[in-house]
């Protein structure tokens, strides 16, 4: 059958085949840390900035923090 032959679906790759990939660290010099990752047709850039001062001075509790994320898509990817 189709499942017993080792194929996941209609793709040209079996479950045991390795997808090609590429990773590069330190891509953005303005960030504290950054990485560029390619896996198949997927491309991802991740940058980490901070720590930064809190905007509200009443949020000075050192037992917790706030994580702010920003996700953007390239116009050609949508």
């Amino acid at each position: 059958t189709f499942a017993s032959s080792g194929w996941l679906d209609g793709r040209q790759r079996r479950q045991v085949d390795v997808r090609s990939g590429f990773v590069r660290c330190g891509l953005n010099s303005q960030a504290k840390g950054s990485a560029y990752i390619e896996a198949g047709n997927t491309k991802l850039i991740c940058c980490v900035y901070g720590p930064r001062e809190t905007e509200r001075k009443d949020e000075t509790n050192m037992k917790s923090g706030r994580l702010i994320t920003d996700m953007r898509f390239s116009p050609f990817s949508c």
Side-chain angles (χ1 to χ4, degrees):
T1 66
F2 187 72
S4 64
S5 66
W7 297 96
L8 266 174
D9 52 27
R11 295 181 288 182
Q12 300 297 316
R13 185 171 40 91
R14 294 179 300 154
Q15 291 177 348
V16 295
D17 292 338
V18 178
R19 181 182 299 192
S20 63
F22 175 80
V23 177
R24 181 176 172 197
C25 296
L27 187 69
N28 185 340
S29 62
Q30 296 175 346
K32 293 282 185 181
S34 63
Y36 174 77
I37 302 168
E38 284 185 14
N41 292 330
T42 303
K43 296 172 177 62
L44 173 72
I45 297 176
C46 179
C47 299
V48 177
Y49 300 93
R52 295 185 179 168
E53 290 281 332
T54 181
E55 294 175 5
R56 296 175 48 187
K57 295 302 177 191
D58 59 338
E59 294 180 352
T60 56
N61 182 0
M62 295 298 200
K63 295 181 182 178
S64 65
R66 185 186 318 181
L67 177 64
I68 301 171
T69 61
D70 183 18
M71 185 169 201
R72 300 179 190 176
F73 291 95
S74 297
F76 58 86
S77 68
C78 297

